[in-house]
Amino acid sequence: MPDTLPPTLPDYMSRAATGLAPDLAAYFLSGAGGGAAEEANGGDLARVTLRPRALRDMRGGHTRLDLLGRTLNHPVIVAPFAYQTLLTPEGEVATARGAEAQGALMVLSAQSTRAMADVRAAGATCMWFQLYWQSTLANTLALAERAANAGFSALILTVDAPVQGVRDAEIRSGFRLSQCHRAINLDGIPQPAFAPLREGESLLFDRVAHVLPDWKDIAAFCRDAPLPVILKGIMTGEDARDAVACGAAGLVVSNHGGRVLEALPSTISVLPEVVRAVDGAVPVLMDGGIRRGWDVFRALALGARAVLVGRPAACGLSVAGALGVSHVLRLLRDELESTMLLTGCRTLAEITRDRVRAPF
Ligand SMILES: Cc1cc2nc3c(=O)[nH]c(=O)nc-3n(C[C@H](O)[C@H](O)[C@H](O)COP(=O)(O)O)c2cc1C
Ligand SMILES: CC(C)CC(=O)C(=O)O
């Protein structure tokens, strides 16, 4: 635990970047390829400027919202991120404590290094469970049942990373995951074992592609899953419409924090296209590059119902454990409140498109 907590979120990010071992910093903080998509997320958010309204009555203002049948204190959600015991021995348990301290909804990654029951016991606001497709519908439903039995209230199925991203910095750093930090909640769910490749065969198209889902599988999963299913990693209006048609209960506009494919656009730039396509049918959330309370405001103004933060929570966890996660979330919420007050928005519903100037 540091003697003093960093005063701002950028200070948490730089303290984590310098304090972590180089290979861990590369795994947790770098982006795909040379990092352009990760940089675009933050760069494009900064291109959205605010149109403040002065002298409005701000009494009784608040940051509450309703999302999938629950009332949340504020719209900042802890994104699922993998292998948290790499950052501190308590891992996801500490993150859940920090999230609960701020009444923040947390999404637990299927690649969690702590048992889902222990994480739920540590923080009651860890209510959503994220998973990847597990080769077959039956395997994916088996994992979903585990989450439902552990008391989670919704599932996030991530569809944007069927294969790992190639991150230059991570490769250069020689990052390797050790067996001490494994995804224990997947124990007993069969993982694919691929037959050796014959001459001229492609690993991705001739092996991996055979265990990947398509929209029919997603529709079957949404129909049979024991909990509402939110699809994470939607980046176009077309996919958004397909997701709604398949029965998704919500969408997350996400490029995985720019971690999987360098040539993707920023999430804020595609958010309006997705929101238009969905036309209010289900809530649209967004993540990628949210670092300040005014970034939350920017995303909400362009149609996001709430935002998720990945690296900010990871940096809070790495610098000061549960307290760091809690402090990072508090900073974001305080900055959002002050941005609302300074722009004349009493409630989240008042953060509308006409409160910003945006090139998207
Ligand atoms: C180290 C790391 C691990 C991640 N692991 C997962 C994961 O297991 N599942 C998932 O859906 N997204 C994962 N993500 C993506 C986040 O959920 C989220 O989309 C992204 O971090 C948002 O961008 P931000 O880091 O700029 O806030 C991970 C992100 C990071 C940084
Ligand atoms: C195990 C990985 C697929 C976790 C992840 O989503 C990531 O590292 O971005």
Side-chain angles (χ1 to χ4, degrees), residues 47 50 64 101 128 177 198 206 208 239 271 303 333 347 360:
R47 295 171 69 199
L50 312 189
R64 283 191 297 280
W128 292 1
L177 191 69
R198 285 189 296 274
D206 298 320
V208 176
D239 279 358
L271 176 64
R333 181 185 175 172
T347 63
F360 317 113

Side-chain angles (χ1 to χ4, degrees), residues 289-316:
I290 301 284
R291 302 290 179 266
R292 308 303 300 245
W294 37 97
D295 292 332
V296 182
F297 186 100
R298 287 163 159 148
L300 266 53
L302 293 198
R305 181 76 74 83
V307 298
L308 292 76
V309 290
R311 292 178 187 85
C315 291

